[in-house]
Amino acid sequence: QVHVAESGGGLVQPGGSLRLSCTVSGSDFRINAMEWYRHAPGKQRNLVATISPSGSTNYADSVLGRFTISNDNYRNTAYLQMDSLKPEDTAVYYCAADWRVWRDGGPVVGRAWGQGTQVTVSS
């Protein structure tokens, strides 16, 4: 199994910053990509940012210029640095890891999700 765990959420005032961490654990896997999603009440879950092992990144327009995704391949960890936070950033933030393993029959791929970490931006 591949397990994902997020941390770093909390309560912050508008204009403040938070840094989220996402660590992937398991055996004999390789990561294809890591993603951050967020889910606000009454809305669909939306993709926030992605990063590949090579460091290629993509961002949602709503966070571009304010959020930065990075990774530490050795520790199988991804980070989301969130600056200039706005009330509309309030959501549960989820990390997802797209992984692959090799079996006798060939490669196997999947996606593992973390439990989520609450980010609340309020004055």
Side-chain angles (χ1 to χ4, degrees), residues 7 10 18 28 32 40 52 65 67 71-72 84 88 95 100 116-117 120:
S7 63
L18 285 173
D28 299 323
N32 292 333
S52 70
F67 291 11
N71 59 12
D72 182 337
S84 302
E88 50 263 43
C95 181
R100 66 181 185 273
T117 184
T120 302

Side-chain angles (χ1 to χ4, degrees), residues 2-112:
V2 177
H3 301 279
V4 176
E6 310 99 328
S7 63
L11 175 65
V12 65
Q13 293 185 349
S17 297
L18 285 173
R19 186 183 188 231
L20 307 183
S21 298
C22 173
T23 299
V24 184
S25 61
S27 299
D28 299 323
F29 69 92
R30 297 292 184 271
I31 293 174
N32 292 333
M34 297 187 71
E35 304 93 19
W36 285 99
Y37 290 80
R38 64 186 181 186
H39 192 184
K43 298 182 178 180
Q44 293 184 333
R45 182 171 60 194
N46 297 120
L47 181 65
V48 175
T50 65
I51 189 167
S52 70
S54 67
S56 298
T57 59
N58 287 283
Y59 297 94
D61 289 342
S62 59
V63 306
L64 189 65
R66 300 188 298 118
F67 291 11
T68 303
I69 188 171
S70 60
N71 59 12
D72 182 337
N73 291 333
Y74 180 77
R75 294 175 172 81
N76 289 323
T77 300
Y79 305 94
L80 187 67
Q81 178 66 43
M82 304 184 294
D83 298 319
S84 302
L85 283 162
K86 304 174 181 179
E88 50 263 43
D89 296 318
T90 296
V92 178
Y93 283 70
Y94 296 91
C95 181
D98 296 332
W99 53 263
R100 66 181 185 273
V101 298
W102 288 266
R103 302 286 186 252
D104 291 341
V108 178
V109 299
R111 173 173 287 184

